[in-house]
Amino acid sequence: MTPTPPSIVARIVDGPLIPKVEHAALLGEGWIPARDVAGPLAPGVVGALLRFEGIVRRGEPSEAHGGDERELLALDYQTYDPMAEREIRALARQVTEEHRLSSLVTLHSRGRVAVGEVSFVLIVESPHRAEAIAAMSAFIDRLKQDVPIWKKPVWR
């Protein structure tokens, strides 16, 4: 059987990642989880599907208050879109290749995301769980370090 090239979706979207927004972004990219495909990525190829959601916490350390945690209303995410989208896609390709993933999907918010709302989604599919877990951790660490997405706290 000829290996199917990995599926990669990497997008920055406006506002919180509510199900309607996530669905529209994934549908627009043509991504369907392998477990829902009756074709080359049919059951038996993907052994692990992991999903991570980054949710805005109620508290955030404040430099103005000596690093003590302050209560938030929201986070405002800012991006330099051309560079951020290019970097997030490049990172997705690198991690997919390094960890031999079947697919990697990442969506990150731009704009205001309130406490309790989702600002980041990462879905990885892999033949084995170890690669999926390692890929998830590597992607998140490198995203925070390398992709020009900044968060500005909106304090209560």
Side-chain angles (χ1 to χ4, degrees):
M1 184 164 110
T2 306
T4 303
S7 173
I8 297 172
V9 175
R11 301 225 13 230
I12 296 172
V13 298
D14 289 321
L17 292 166
I18 60 174
K20 179 180 173 182
V21 170
E22 181 179 339
H23 180 74
L26 296 179
L27 187 62
E29 294 286 339
W31 185 78
I32 302 169
R35 66 175 183 239
D36 296 338
V37 174
L41 284 180
V45 174
V46 171
L49 183 149
L50 300 179
R51 178 185 176 95
F52 174 87
E53 293 183 354
I55 302 167
V56 177
R57 295 181 306 268
R58 183 169 313 283
E60 182 86 0
S62 168
E63 289 181 24
H65 288 83
D68 291 338
E69 195 168 279
R70 287 184 60 195
E71 194 168 349
L72 286 174
L73 288 173
L75 289 173
D76 280 337
Y77 289 94
Q78 300 170 349
T79 66
Y80 175 63
D81 287 349
M83 180 182 268
E85 291 208 340
R86 184 177 63 242
E87 291 298 318
I88 203 168
R89 285 190 181 106
L91 175 58
R93 282 191 301 273
Q94 291 166 5
V95 169
T96 297
E97 185 177 300
E98 288 167 11
H99 296 277
R100 297 185 305 276
L101 301 178
S102 302
S103 72
L104 184 149
V105 172
T106 184
L107 303 172
H108 200 295
S109 293
R110 171 195 319 110
R112 184 159 291 185
V113 181
V115 168
E117 293 180 322
V118 176
S119 63
F120 173 68
V121 170
L122 176 62
I123 303 167
V124 296
E125 294 180 324
S126 173
H128 306 282
R129 76 175 151 75
E131 289 90 345
I133 292 167
M136 186 165 279
S137 183
F139 185 90
I140 293 168
D141 289 346
R142 288 164 58 185
L143 172 84
K144 288 178 168 265
Q145 179 181 338
D146 298 338
V147 178
I149 299 173
W150 303 277
K151 64 181 182 180
K152 180 180 176 191
V154 179
W155 304 111
R156 180 170 289 286

